[in-house]
Structure formats: C-alpha cells, structure tokens
Amino acid sequence: MATLLKNNSRLSLAMERTGQWVFSQDIPTDVIVVVGEANFSLHKFMLIAKSNYIRKLIIESKEVDLARINLSDIPGGPEIFEKAAKFCYGVNFEITVHNVAALRCAAEYLQMTDVYCDNNLCGRTEDFLSQVALSTLSGALVVLKSCEDLLPMAEDLKIVQRCVDIASAKACVEANFPSRSPPNWWTEELTILDVSFFEKIIASMKSRGAKALTIASAIITYAERSLRDLVRDHSGSGIKSLDSGESDIRIQQRELLESIVALLPSEKAAFPINFLCCLLRTAIFLRAANSCKNELEKRISVILDHVTVDDLLVLSFTYDGERLFDLESIRRIILGFVEKEKSVAVFNGGDFRDVCSTAMLRVAKTVDAYLGEISTYVDLSISKFNGIANLVPKGARKADDDIYRAIDIYLKAHPNLDEIEREKVCSVMDPLKLSYEARVHASQNKRLPVQIVLHALYYDQLKLRSGTDDQNTPNAITTRNQLKADVSLVKENEALRTELLKMKMYVQDMQKTQGTSSKGSGKKTFFSSMSKTLGKLNPFKHGSKDTSNIDDGMADLTKPRRRRFSIS
C-alpha cells in the first residue's frame, strides 16, 4: 500500500512538472500519451521531430486525427518517458548512472536515433555510458543493477554485457592492486546485484584468470549479505518467522542459496570451513536440493582435519539450539574423509588398519569430543550415537579415553537404559585401551555395564601379576587373547567346583544311610577322606571372582572444560 501511494505521489509530481513546461506554450496540445496510469498532454510536432516511432504511429493510424497514443510498454515507465518527452521539447534534465540505462532503452524503443535526427537521445545516452557511467567499478555496477528491470532490451543493446566486462575487469585489478581500504571493498559493491547478474560477474572474473581465493572472497561477502539472517547471524533471531510452512521468502532464499553453491570454484580448499558449515546448515534448514547439500558435504569432508567441534555443532542443531538436525550429513562427511584416507593409504602401499595419518588421528579426537557434546540430548538414539562413533577406525584412537567420556555422558543423560542397551552403547569402546585414570574411573562407574567394569578390573590385575606398568604393558591383542584364556580357565574351575559340590552332597547322603556305627567309630571313611582331599583342590577356597564387594562410589575424572552442551 505504501509503495502504491509513493508511486502515485511520484506520478502526480511528474504530471505537475510536465504541465509547467508543456502548458506554458502558446500552441494547445493535440495528443495525449498514455503511459500506465499517467497521461501526458503533448504536441505531435514536437514528438515527431525526435521520435521516429511516434511518427510512424501517427502516419499509419486509421484515425484522421489521432488524439491518443498508448506507450505503456515503454522501458522505464512514466518517469523515463517524461524525460524522453522533455528531450523532445528541448528541456534540460539530468542523466545519471541510475537512469542512463533506462533512457538508452527508451530511446531505442522510441527510435530516437542519430539516423533519424542528429544528436538524438540515443547518442546522448551512449556518450554518457562510455565516458561517465562505465568509467568506474561502482558506476558500472549501478548501471548493471538498473538493468534488472529492463530485460531483455538491456541485453539486446549489449548494456548488460558491457557492464559485466568492465566491472569484472576492474574487480580483478582491485583484487590484485587495492586502491583503497579495506582491500576487499569491491566485494561489498557486488552485493547490490541480483544473483543472476552476480553470476555473470563471477563467470567473467573466472575467464580472466582470477584466483580461487579472490572468487571465494566475493562469494563469501555476497552470501553473508544476501542471506544475512541465515549465514552470518547464528542466533537465528531473524528467521523465526520462517520456521513454519513454505513461505515465499523461504523459497527465494533456497533458490538463492542453491545459486550461490553452484558458483563455488572447483578448488575444494578455497573457503574457510566455518563458512562451508554455515552454508550447509542453511541448506539443511531450507531443505535445499540434495545436489546442493552433497556438494557442500564433499567440500567439508576434504578439509575435515581442520574442522573444530564448534563447526560440527553448527551443522547439528537448529538455529534456536534446542533440537538436533538429522545427523546424516555429519555421518556422510566423516565417512567421506575416512574413505579418502583409506584410498591414500592403499595408494602409498600401507595398511590403513595399522597406521593412520596425523589428519585421521586429529579427526578421531574431534569426532569423540563432538559425540560428548551431543550426548546430552535425549533424542539422540543409540543407533545414531554408535553409527557416528563406529565411523572412526579403531587404529585412529591411540587411547579410548575421549570416547569413554562421550559414553559416560550419554549414559548419564539416558538413565533409563537397561543392561543390554548400555552394553550396546559401550560396544564402540575398547576397555583395554583406556588409560590408567580412565580405568580407575570405569571400575567405579555405576552407570557402566558389569562386563565393562570387570574388563577394567581384570586389566589392572593382569598388570599386577605380570609386574608391568603402563609403558611395558602388552598390546591390546595379546592382552585380549590372554583374557580369553583366563576366562576359559575360570569356567573350567567353576565346572570342577560344581562337580565337587555334587560329590560332597552324595557322600553326605551315603553317610546318613550307614547308621550310627560308622559315626561312633571315629574312623574316617574313604568318602569323607576323599571329600576333604578334593576340597583342598578347590581354586576358590581363598576367594572368588565375585565383585559384589566393589565400591560403587564414583571417582570423578578431571572435569573437561565446560562447553555449551556438556553435562557438568
């Protein structure tokens, strides 16, 4: 409504000004030119003198005295026609970078060329374009911006292409040799353009050999300006109105994002990882096309060793930080990096299971820390937790302390899990790869399943028996094999103990049936003697592996630094 009132006000002002310079003439007007909702009372002979198009309309008209001409489809509308009419009357007006493209198109429409009349409007506007408007980067971009409402005529007249060529050339020069501060000021200038014209500028810069970092700088600034609430503002305060339904704004933003992603240069490492993560989070939120999300996931995966926990958290939560996104993007990113590392290891002739690169070790620590951050959310299922944890190769974890911390946080945040579910959560961890401090914590952790606690206790007992310390402890495979052998021996001892108890009960039954004579004789029978002898062989006589006397007290590890989503 406000826009309509503004337009009407501008039309009224234009009509008032037109009346001042038209009706001051002694000769009465003889034609009304209709342009949209505006009517201009003018003189035919003044218009015919400059416009070949109006001359043809009057000559070819079937009416004897044509009194009304409709020019509603003239480029630029009533305001531009008013200036063209002033030119016909010889009235001065200002040509600027904002109106020169529209005047050039209107002059072409009205056939106000130098062929029809010397020094006509077409020539005047061409001179201004070449000598003034297109002499600077800012001027070329303003003219290009004004062409958005003048298509396709602006393209037919090569105005768009001239602006693109000049703007891209000057942008390349500014990128290499900045003329003012800040050095990337020219990227801010590009943000006034519609994405279709911005694409033309970027394509032209690429054809001129612009560096990937130069292109990336322009795209980053454009994305942060055009999608400010989604890419730059992480609080999400500006997008709450978009949470429900498929609004027109949301559809426009989705199309804009997909266009920006399509512009990214082929160099995967040209963009900062935090910017790529923000773009992907925006793509997930806007439900962009799979091709758009896949492209961003691949780019993040390539440089995943530079990612931080905060970057992964950006990908995981909604803008209000209250809900988890579907973690499939996270899973695909980690999987893509692991597959790349495997390919590199095979190419180098190594075994990925035995030796992991420094980048893989760094990613493993980041993933484990990330799991610790998201474990506090009750809507994180065991399958999703394990799915991400299992993507990290076993050899990439020199110690399992970080994944143990994540498991402990998950169990604390999900207290209603039964024994089998807790064992599933712990299945991603190897208890034999815990540090001494972590094993002490695990042995007293009431949240862990009994099997994990026993493994932690047994490991320390094995060290005591072998007289080794942490530095000289056998590797996990040897320890695990020895553990299996000892468990087998324990089972055999248990079976023997059971047989002995059965035999003892049988002997007692036999003694009861013998009568008082054997009881009073004071002589030991064969069975009683055998029972005592076998009793001495009982391996559990001086203790057992019953762990019921273990203190359930929780010995807290050193608390990690507090994070946004950590449980204290």
Side-chain angles (χ1 to χ4, degrees):
M1 185 64 178
T3 304
L4 181 60
L5 291 175
K6 182 178 179 181
N7 291 337
N8 289 337
S9 175
R10 295 172 67 180
L11 288 174
S12 299
L13 182 60
M15 289 299 299
E16 180 181 349
R17 292 199 307 268
T18 302
Q20 290 174 357
W21 55 263
V22 171
F23 292 118
S24 63
Q25 308 296 326
D26 295 333
I27 303 174
T29 60
D30 55 358
V31 66
I32 296 176
V33 179
V34 179
V35 182
E37 298 178 355
N39 296 327
F40 297 87
S41 296
L42 303 171
H43 302 87
K44 293 179 183 179
F45 70 95
M46 297 297 291
L47 299 178
I48 292 174
K50 299 289 186 180
S51 173
N52 188 40
Y53 179 75
I54 295 178
R55 184 184 69 86
K56 289 180 179 179
L57 287 179
I58 294 175
I59 292 175
E60 296 172 359
S61 174
K62 295 179 180 180
E63 297 182 25
V64 177
D65 189 11
L66 182 63
R68 194 175 188 88
I69 299 175
N70 192 328
L71 299 179
S72 294
D73 54 350
I74 186 173
E79 290 188 7
I80 296 301
F81 175 77
E82 178 194 355
K83 289 179 171 55
K86 280 185 175 182
F87 184 85
C88 294
Y89 278 80
V91 179
N92 290 328
F93 62 92
E94 185 181 8
I95 300 178
T96 66
V97 292
H98 297 280
N99 64 25
V100 64
L103 283 172
R104 176 66 183 88
C105 292
E108 190 70 21
Y109 175 88
L110 294 172
Q111 299 178 13
M112 299 174 68
T113 64
D114 289 350
V115 175
Y116 183 73
C117 176
D118 291 337
N119 201 21
N120 212 338
L121 185 58
C122 283
R124 290 283 191 90
T125 53
E126 279 293 339
D127 291 342
F128 186 87
L129 275 172
S130 58
Q131 298 175 14
V132 180
L134 301 184
S135 62
T136 63
L137 173 62
S138 299
L141 293 176
V142 172
V143 174
L144 184 58
K145 173 67 177 176
S146 67
C147 290
E148 293 175 3
D149 299 324
L150 302 172
L151 300 177
M153 181 173 284
E155 287 186 333
D156 296 337
L157 296 176
K158 307 298 182 183
I159 301 176
V160 171
Q161 191 58 49
R162 290 167 63 188
C163 291
V164 168
D165 291 341
I166 292 175
S168 62
K170 293 184 178 297
C172 289
V173 172
E174 283 294 329
N176 295 323
F177 309 101
S179 62
R180 69 189 203 209
S181 183
N184 65 337
W185 66 270
W186 59 274
T187 63
E188 295 284 345
E189 299 285 328
L190 296 178
T191 59
I192 68 171
L193 299 176
D194 181 77
V195 68
S196 60
F197 285 164
F198 180 73
E199 289 174 352
K200 293 180 182 294
I201 296 286
I202 295 299
S204 181
M205 292 180 67
K206 288 180 179 178
S207 66
R208 293 176 181 274
K211 298 178 182 178
L213 292 178
T214 300
I215 301 297
S217 177
I219 292 176
I220 290 172
T221 304
Y222 188 85
E224 289 181 344
R225 277 294 188 91
S226 56
L227 295 170
R228 183 187 303 271
D229 293 336
L230 297 172
V231 175
R232 179 179 288 185
D233 180 13
H234 296 174
S235 66
S237 57
I239 51 92
K240 291 182 179 178
S241 61
L242 301 180
D243 288 341
S244 59
E246 285 284 288
S247 65
D248 292 339
I249 296 178
R250 182 165 175 173
I251 294 173
Q252 293 173 3
Q253 289 181 327
R254 179 193 305 150
E255 294 174 350
L256 177 58
L257 174 67
E258 292 173 355
S259 298
I260 291 174
V261 172
L263 288 176
L264 303 184
S266 58
E267 292 79 359
K268 301 295 183 183
F271 293 88
I273 189 130
N274 60 339
F275 173 73
L276 293 175
C277 289
C278 287
L279 279 188
L280 180 54
R281 194 259 296 265
T282 303
I284 295 171
F285 173 76
L286 295 177
R287 299 175 185 171
N290 288 333
S291 58
C292 174
K293 291 188 287 188
N294 291 340
E295 175 63 23
L296 292 171
E297 289 168 1
K298 290 177 183 177
R299 289 176 177 272
I300 296 173
S301 180
V302 169
I303 53 177
L304 186 61
D305 51 315
H306 298 291
V307 79
T308 65
V309 176
D310 288 335
D311 294 329
L312 292 181
L313 291 176
V314 164
L315 292 177
S316 305
F317 291 94
T318 54
Y319 284 89
D320 55 12
E322 297 296 328
R323 303 183 306 280
L324 277 174
F325 279 133
D326 184 5
L327 300 181
E328 280 302 302
S329 287
I330 296 289
R331 191 188 66 80
R332 286 192 293 266
I333 290 170
I334 299 173
L335 182 61
F337 180 83
V338 173
E339 292 297 328
K340 184 199 73 170
E341 289 292 305
K342 286 182 179 179
S343 300
V344 172
V346 172
F347 180 79
N348 294 332
D351 190 347
F352 182 72
R353 293 173 297 178
D354 298 333
V355 180
C356 289
S357 66
T358 304
M360 187 70 251
L361 297 176
R362 193 157 52 239
V363 168
K365 289 187 68 68
T366 302
V367 171
D368 290 346
Y370 165 75
L371 286 172
E373 297 295 332
I374 65 173
S375 294
T376 59
Y377 283 78
V378 294
D379 51 347
L380 179 64
S381 64
I382 296 176
S383 61
K384 289 185 178 180
F385 180 89
N386 287 4
I388 294 177
N390 285 327
L391 292 175
V392 178
K394 300 297 182 183
R397 294 187 177 106
K398 298 302 182 183
D400 277 16
D401 290 17
D402 292 332
I403 190 63
Y404 167 64
R405 173 181 174 273
I407 290 172
D408 188 39
I409 294 174
Y410 187 88
L411 295 178
K412 186 185 296 184
H414 300 77
N416 297 324
L417 300 179
D418 57 29
E419 186 78 3
I420 295 177
E421 290 173 329
R422 284 185 288 141
E423 288 181 358
K424 287 182 180 179
V425 176
C426 294
S427 64
V428 299
M429 174 186 66
D430 187 351
L432 301 182
K433 291 176 65 176
L434 296 176
S435 65
Y436 173 75
E437 293 79 7
R439 289 197 304 273
V440 171
H441 186 282
S443 65
Q444 302 177 16
N445 193 340
K446 294 183 290 185
R447 288 182 288 273
L448 294 178
V450 176
Q451 181 182 7
I452 301 299
V453 176
L454 290 178
H455 278 208
L457 289 171
Y458 180 81
Y459 187 81
D460 286 327
Q461 290 298 319
L462 182 63
K463 284 201 324 172
L464 291 174
R465 284 190 296 171
S466 60
T468 59
D469 54 18
D470 277 338
Q471 285 72 28
N472 299 321
T473 302
N475 60 38
I477 297 177
T478 304
T479 303
R480 194 177 291 104
N481 293 337
Q482 189 170 354
L483 175 60
K484 291 180 180 179
D486 288 353
V487 170
S488 178
L489 179 60
V490 169
K491 291 181 179 179
E492 292 178 3
N493 289 339
E494 291 288 350
L496 178 59
R497 181 182 181 186
T498 302
E499 291 298 325
L500 290 174
L501 291 176
K502 289 181 180 179
M503 183 177 291
K504 187 174 183 179
M505 293 176 62
Y506 176 74
V507 170
Q508 289 176 352
D509 291 340
M510 291 292 294
Q511 288 176 345
K512 289 180 181 180
T513 58
Q514 285 181 354
T516 57
S517 59
S518 64
K519 294 179 182 178
S521 63
K523 297 180 180 181
K524 297 180 179 179
T525 64
F526 170 76
F527 289 106
S528 64
S529 176
M530 179 61 71
S531 175
K532 290 182 178 181
T533 302
L534 293 175
K536 294 177 181 180
L537 297 176
N538 180 9
F540 300 96
K541 179 177 180 181
H542 300 291
S544 69
K545 289 191 176 291
D546 182 14
T547 59
S548 60
N549 60 339
I550 294 177
D551 186 8
D552 286 337
M554 180 69 182
D556 291 332
L557 287 170
T558 302
K559 295 183 179 179
R561 70 184 180 89
R562 183 177 182 87
R563 300 189 68 87
R564 283 185 295 184
F565 306 102
S566 300
I567 285 186
S568 60

